Amino acid sequence: EDGTVRLWQSTTYRAETTLNYGMERAWALAAAKDSNKLAMGFDEGCVVVELGSDDPVASMDATGKIVWARNNEIKTAKVSGFASDDIPDGDRLPVLPRDLGSCELYPQMLKHNCNGRFVAVCGDGEFIIYTAQALRNKAFGQALDFVWSGQGTGDYAIRESTSHLKIFKNFKEGASIRPATASADGLFGGHMLGVKGGDSAVLFYDWDSGEFVRKIDVAPKDIYWSD
């Protein structure tokens, strides 16, 4: 009766989010059977929301090997080697998926490192780095965000809070950064470490020294580096 609707993850039993539309008390919930839409009835009207994301939890390395998550199960397949002339545009590729194993957390993001030897799995404020071939545990920890460097095999950065970042070199802790912004809301990987600032700006830092390089007053959704 406080006017909020709370959502939990059925696999991890953790609270995901709280919805508040300012429409007084919530009285009814209805979920569509064959979709991810949820209807909520309040004193002053109703709201229909779409749960989840349409973005797949998957990653592909430079050789065409794909790793993806289905719930806690991790699968892999290879899409290179298919002749483009034999398969019409838009058709499904006849790939043969292979089970890699089960992940210890519920994956919300998968990402290969620069050479494809390792894959990071992130979710629920934690990350685990596995070998891409056999899903062997290499490193783990707590983080709000995780990004790989564009060069070093074991170089990555994590966002521990809105005011503290850590850079790891070859899987060993290196520089710590306190970004020159009111709130660090996200990270971007690549040739430089990008920090999404709460003041609609992105700040770039050097991977090796952790030194500030440049601030650009934009609010990007993602950053792509040229080769």
Side-chain angles (χ1 to χ4, degrees), residues 102-123:
S102 180
C103 182
E104 299 170 27
L105 53 83
Y106 190 83
Q108 295 171 331
M109 187 273 284
L110 274 170
K111 187 67 176 176
H112 280 94
N113 72 329
C114 59
N115 60 15
R117 290 180 55 192
F118 299 97
V119 60
V121 182
C122 306

mmCIF file of all heavy atoms in Angstrom, residues 102-123:
data_model
loop_
_atom_site.group_PDB
_atom_site.id
_atom_site.type_symbol
_atom_site.label_atom_id
_atom_site.label_comp_id
_atom_site.label_asym_id
_atom_site.label_seq_id
_atom_site.Cartn_x
_atom_site.Cartn_y
_atom_site.Cartn_z
ATOM 1 N N SER A 102 28.400 -24.779 -15.899
ATOM 2 C CA SER A 102 27.472 -23.931 -15.173
ATOM 3 C C SER A 102 28.230 -22.818 -14.468
ATOM 4 O O SER A 102 29.313 -23.032 -13.922
ATOM 5 C CB SER A 102 26.684 -24.756 -14.150
ATOM 6 O OG SER A 102 25.782 -23.945 -13.440
ATOM 7 N N CYS A 103 27.657 -21.617 -14.484
ATOM 8 C CA CYS A 103 28.273 -20.462 -13.843
ATOM 9 C C CYS A 103 27.772 -20.341 -12.410
ATOM 10 O O CYS A 103 26.630 -20.685 -12.104
ATOM 11 C CB CYS A 103 27.939 -19.200 -14.633
ATOM 12 S SG CYS A 103 28.687 -17.715 -13.968
ATOM 13 N N GLU A 104 28.622 -19.823 -11.541
ATOM 14 C CA GLU A 104 28.278 -19.726 -10.122
ATOM 15 C C GLU A 104 27.356 -18.555 -9.818
ATOM 16 O O GLU A 104 26.774 -18.494 -8.740
ATOM 17 C CB GLU A 104 29.564 -19.602 -9.295
ATOM 18 C CG GLU A 104 30.489 -20.807 -9.438
ATOM 19 C CD GLU A 104 31.846 -20.559 -8.813
ATOM 20 O OE1 GLU A 104 31.923 -19.747 -7.865
ATOM 21 O OE2 GLU A 104 32.831 -21.157 -9.262
ATOM 22 N N LEU A 105 27.240 -17.602 -10.737
ATOM 23 C CA LEU A 105 26.314 -16.489 -10.551
ATOM 24 C C LEU A 105 25.384 -16.397 -11.754
ATOM 25 O O LEU A 105 25.583 -17.073 -12.760
ATOM 26 C CB LEU A 105 27.086 -15.167 -10.328
ATOM 27 C CG LEU A 105 28.157 -14.759 -11.338
ATOM 28 C CD1 LEU A 105 27.574 -14.060 -12.552
ATOM 29 C CD2 LEU A 105 29.176 -13.843 -10.669
ATOM 30 N N TYR A 106 24.362 -15.535 -11.645
ATOM 31 C CA TYR A 106 23.411 -15.391 -12.743
ATOM 32 C C TYR A 106 23.959 -14.356 -13.727
ATOM 33 O O TYR A 106 24.045 -13.179 -13.403
ATOM 34 C CB TYR A 106 22.047 -14.945 -12.215
ATOM 35 C CG TYR A 106 20.956 -14.998 -13.259
ATOM 36 C CD1 TYR A 106 20.287 -16.190 -13.530
ATOM 37 C CD2 TYR A 106 20.610 -13.870 -13.981
ATOM 38 C CE1 TYR A 106 19.300 -16.256 -14.479
ATOM 39 C CE2 TYR A 106 19.621 -13.915 -14.940
ATOM 40 C CZ TYR A 106 18.967 -15.108 -15.192
ATOM 41 O OH TYR A 106 17.994 -15.164 -16.144
ATOM 42 N N PRO A 107 24.349 -14.777 -14.936
ATOM 43 C CA PRO A 107 25.043 -13.866 -15.849
ATOM 44 C C PRO A 107 24.126 -12.754 -16.362
ATOM 45 O O PRO A 107 23.010 -13.005 -16.816
ATOM 46 C CB PRO A 107 25.467 -14.784 -17.003
ATOM 47 C CG PRO A 107 25.364 -16.172 -16.477
ATOM 48 C CD PRO A 107 24.250 -16.142 -15.484
ATOM 49 N N GLN A 108 24.615 -11.529 -16.281
ATOM 50 C CA GLN A 108 23.949 -10.384 -16.887
ATOM 51 C C GLN A 108 24.824 -9.739 -17.951
ATOM 52 O O GLN A 108 24.366 -8.894 -18.699
ATOM 53 C CB GLN A 108 23.604 -9.357 -15.799
ATOM 54 C CG GLN A 108 22.580 -9.888 -14.793
ATOM 55 C CD GLN A 108 22.390 -8.973 -13.602
ATOM 56 O OE1 GLN A 108 23.305 -8.261 -13.210
ATOM 57 N NE2 GLN A 108 21.208 -9.002 -13.018
ATOM 58 N N MET A 109 26.092 -10.157 -18.035
ATOM 59 C CA MET A 109 27.012 -9.661 -19.052
ATOM 60 C C MET A 109 28.113 -10.682 -19.275
ATOM 61 O O MET A 109 28.617 -11.276 -18.333
ATOM 62 C CB MET A 109 27.617 -8.312 -18.617
ATOM 63 C CG MET A 109 28.457 -7.626 -19.704
ATOM 64 S SD MET A 109 30.194 -8.156 -19.732
ATOM 65 C CE MET A 109 30.854 -7.281 -18.332
ATOM 66 N N LEU A 110 28.459 -10.891 -20.549
ATOM 67 C CA LEU A 110 29.570 -11.760 -20.939
ATOM 68 C C LEU A 110 30.486 -10.970 -21.866
ATOM 69 O O LEU A 110 30.002 -10.267 -22.760
ATOM 70 C CB LEU A 110 29.059 -12.998 -21.678
ATOM 71 C CG LEU A 110 28.618 -14.223 -20.869
ATOM 72 C CD1 LEU A 110 27.940 -15.216 -21.789
ATOM 73 C CD2 LEU A 110 29.793 -14.876 -20.195
ATOM 74 N N LYS A 111 31.801 -11.088 -21.673
ATOM 75 C CA LYS A 111 32.699 -10.333 -22.543
ATOM 76 C C LYS A 111 34.062 -11.017 -22.624
ATOM 77 O O LYS A 111 34.688 -11.300 -21.603
ATOM 78 C CB LYS A 111 32.883 -8.905 -21.998
ATOM 79 C CG LYS A 111 33.669 -8.004 -22.927
ATOM 80 C CD LYS A 111 32.920 -7.719 -24.221
ATOM 81 C CE LYS A 111 33.683 -6.735 -25.104
ATOM 82 N NZ LYS A 111 32.999 -6.525 -26.399
ATOM 83 N N HIS A 112 34.513 -11.287 -23.882
ATOM 84 C CA HIS A 112 35.858 -11.811 -24.096
ATOM 85 C C HIS A 112 36.901 -10.711 -23.861
ATOM 86 O O HIS A 112 36.629 -9.527 -24.041
ATOM 87 C CB HIS A 112 36.017 -12.305 -25.532
ATOM 88 C CG HIS A 112 35.437 -13.662 -25.772
ATOM 89 N ND1 HIS A 112 34.160 -13.857 -26.252
ATOM 90 C CD2 HIS A 112 35.965 -14.906 -25.602
ATOM 91 C CE1 HIS A 112 33.927 -15.155 -26.376
ATOM 92 N NE2 HIS A 112 35.001 -15.812 -25.992
ATOM 93 N N ASN A 113 38.107 -11.146 -23.483
ATOM 94 C CA ASN A 113 39.208 -10.187 -23.431
ATOM 95 C C ASN A 113 39.741 -9.984 -24.851
ATOM 96 O O ASN A 113 39.208 -10.541 -25.824
ATOM 97 C CB ASN A 113 40.298 -10.660 -22.470
ATOM 98 C CG ASN A 113 41.089 -11.831 -23.008
ATOM 99 O OD1 ASN A 113 40.564 -12.655 -23.747
ATOM 100 N ND2 ASN A 113 42.351 -11.918 -22.639
ATOM 101 N N CYS A 114 40.818 -9.202 -24.998
ATOM 102 C CA CYS A 114 41.253 -8.771 -26.327
ATOM 103 C C CYS A 114 41.707 -9.919 -27.225
ATOM 104 O O CYS A 114 41.545 -9.847 -28.444
ATOM 105 C CB CYS A 114 42.355 -7.714 -26.196
ATOM 106 S SG CYS A 114 43.828 -8.280 -25.293
ATOM 107 N N ASN A 115 42.266 -10.985 -26.674
ATOM 108 C CA ASN A 115 42.730 -12.094 -27.520
ATOM 109 C C ASN A 115 41.834 -13.329 -27.443
ATOM 110 O O ASN A 115 42.145 -14.353 -28.043
ATOM 111 C CB ASN A 115 44.172 -12.467 -27.179
ATOM 112 C CG ASN A 115 44.338 -12.908 -25.726
ATOM 113 O OD1 ASN A 115 43.366 -13.207 -25.036
ATOM 114 N ND2 ASN A 115 45.584 -12.940 -25.258
ATOM 115 N N GLY A 116 40.726 -13.259 -26.709
ATOM 116 C CA GLY A 116 39.757 -14.341 -26.678
ATOM 117 C C GLY A 116 40.097 -15.495 -25.761
ATOM 118 O O GLY A 116 39.367 -16.492 -25.731
ATOM 119 N N ARG A 117 41.180 -15.390 -24.990
ATOM 120 C CA ARG A 117 41.573 -16.505 -24.111
ATOM 121 C C ARG A 117 40.715 -16.580 -22.863
ATOM 122 O O ARG A 117 40.528 -17.656 -22.296
ATOM 123 C CB ARG A 117 43.038 -16.362 -23.721
ATOM 124 C CG ARG A 117 44.032 -16.603 -24.850
ATOM 125 C CD ARG A 117 45.452 -16.447 -24.352
ATOM 126 N NE ARG A 117 45.723 -17.308 -23.209
ATOM 127 C CZ ARG A 117 46.805 -17.198 -22.431
ATOM 128 N NH1 ARG A 117 47.694 -16.233 -22.682
ATOM 129 N NH2 ARG A 117 46.992 -18.011 -21.427
ATOM 130 N N PHE A 118 40.194 -15.443 -22.415
ATOM 131 C CA PHE A 118 39.401 -15.401 -21.192
ATOM 132 C C PHE A 118 38.062 -14.726 -21.468
ATOM 133 O O PHE A 118 37.933 -13.926 -22.394
ATOM 134 C CB PHE A 118 40.141 -14.642 -20.081
ATOM 135 C CG PHE A 118 41.452 -15.262 -19.688
ATOM 136 C CD1 PHE A 118 42.648 -14.786 -20.220
ATOM 137 C CD2 PHE A 118 41.495 -16.323 -18.793
ATOM 138 C CE1 PHE A 118 43.856 -15.354 -19.868
ATOM 139 C CE2 PHE A 118 42.703 -16.901 -18.441
ATOM 140 C CZ PHE A 118 43.888 -16.419 -18.979
ATOM 141 N N VAL A 119 37.088 -15.070 -20.639
ATOM 142 C CA VAL A 119 35.769 -14.453 -20.740
ATOM 143 C C VAL A 119 35.320 -14.063 -19.332
ATOM 144 O O VAL A 119 35.485 -14.845 -18.382
ATOM 145 C CB VAL A 119 34.755 -15.399 -21.420
ATOM 146 C CG1 VAL A 119 34.584 -16.701 -20.640
ATOM 147 C CG2 VAL A 119 33.419 -14.708 -21.610
ATOM 148 N N ALA A 120 34.802 -12.858 -19.203
ATOM 149 C CA ALA A 120 34.316 -12.365 -17.915
ATOM 150 C C ALA A 120 32.805 -12.499 -17.864
ATOM 151 O O ALA A 120 32.104 -12.155 -18.820
ATOM 152 C CB ALA A 120 34.721 -10.911 -17.715
ATOM 153 N N VAL A 121 32.310 -13.007 -16.742
ATOM 154 C CA VAL A 121 30.876 -13.140 -16.489
ATOM 155 C C VAL A 121 30.526 -12.226 -15.320
ATOM 156 O O VAL A 121 31.157 -12.315 -14.259
ATOM 157 C CB VAL A 121 30.496 -14.601 -16.157
ATOM 158 C CG1 VAL A 121 28.999 -14.727 -15.943
ATOM 159 C CG2 VAL A 121 30.958 -15.531 -17.273
ATOM 160 N N CYS A 122 29.557 -11.353 -15.511
ATOM 161 C CA CYS A 122 29.196 -10.388 -14.473
ATOM 162 C C CYS A 122 27.705 -10.467 -14.170
ATOM 163 O O CYS A 122 26.885 -10.732 -15.056
ATOM 164 C CB CYS A 122 29.543 -8.965 -14.906
ATOM 165 S SG CYS A 122 31.253 -8.750 -15.403
ATOM 166 N N GLY A 123 27.379 -10.206 -12.907
ATOM 167 C CA GLY A 123 25.990 -10.177 -12.494
ATOM 168 C C GLY A 123 25.860 -10.088 -10.991
ATOM 169 O O GLY A 123 26.726 -10.573 -10.244
#
